[in-house]
Amino acid sequence: MSKGKATRSSTATSSTPAPAPTITNDILTGRFTEQEWNAVVEVEDGEDFVYDLVETVVNGVLKVIHERHMEENLIPYSLDWAEQIMVDLIDWQFLTHDDGGGTRGGG
């Protein structure tokens, strides 16, 4: 009996275990693995960062341009507006009398 036990134990240790099946974590079966998906997400995150950075710079530049435009045009616009108001007031003060432009009664 001891011989049989010895052979059994030696055969159990000498056999090689079956290879484990490879596990793939497909996000979309047959299309994206988890590594490919993570790479795509990293690229999108980089693009979002660049988009936010460009948006911040462009908005800052547009704000500065608007402020300078307003500063440069405030005085000319104000003077033009004041001149037009004075012209309108003078025109109202010296309205010409309209006598109707013709005769009445049509005879």
Side-chain angles (χ1 to χ4, degrees):
M1 266 209 236
S2 65
K3 241 182 178 183
K5 287 183 180 178
T7 57
R8 285 185 194 164
S9 63
S10 66
T11 57
T13 56
S14 67
S15 66
T16 58
T22 58
I23 299 174
T24 59
N25 294 332
D26 288 347
I27 302 297
L28 296 174
T29 307
R31 295 188 183 261
F32 280 117
T33 64
E34 188 173 353
Q35 291 174 344
E36 291 170 339
W37 181 260
N38 289 336
V40 168
V41 169
E42 286 178 22
V43 168
E44 286 180 354
D45 288 344
E47 289 174 355
D48 288 343
F49 173 74
V50 170
Y51 175 77
D52 291 340
L53 184 64
V54 168
E55 182 181 26
T56 302
V57 170
V58 168
N59 285 339
V61 169
L62 288 176
K63 183 179 178 182
V64 169
I65 289 171
H66 180 262
E67 289 173 0
R68 296 198 77 192
H69 174 74
M70 294 303 288
E71 286 175 8
E72 289 177 4
N73 291 315
L74 179 65
I75 293 174
Y77 176 79
S78 299
L79 292 175
D80 186 47
W81 179 81
E83 178 186 4
Q84 188 62 44
I85 292 294
M86 287 194 293
V87 167
D88 289 345
L89 287 173
I90 292 170
D91 285 345
W92 290 342
Q93 185 67 32
F94 300 106
L95 286 175
T96 57
H97 178 65
D98 185 10
D99 59 355
T103 61
R104 289 189 183 191

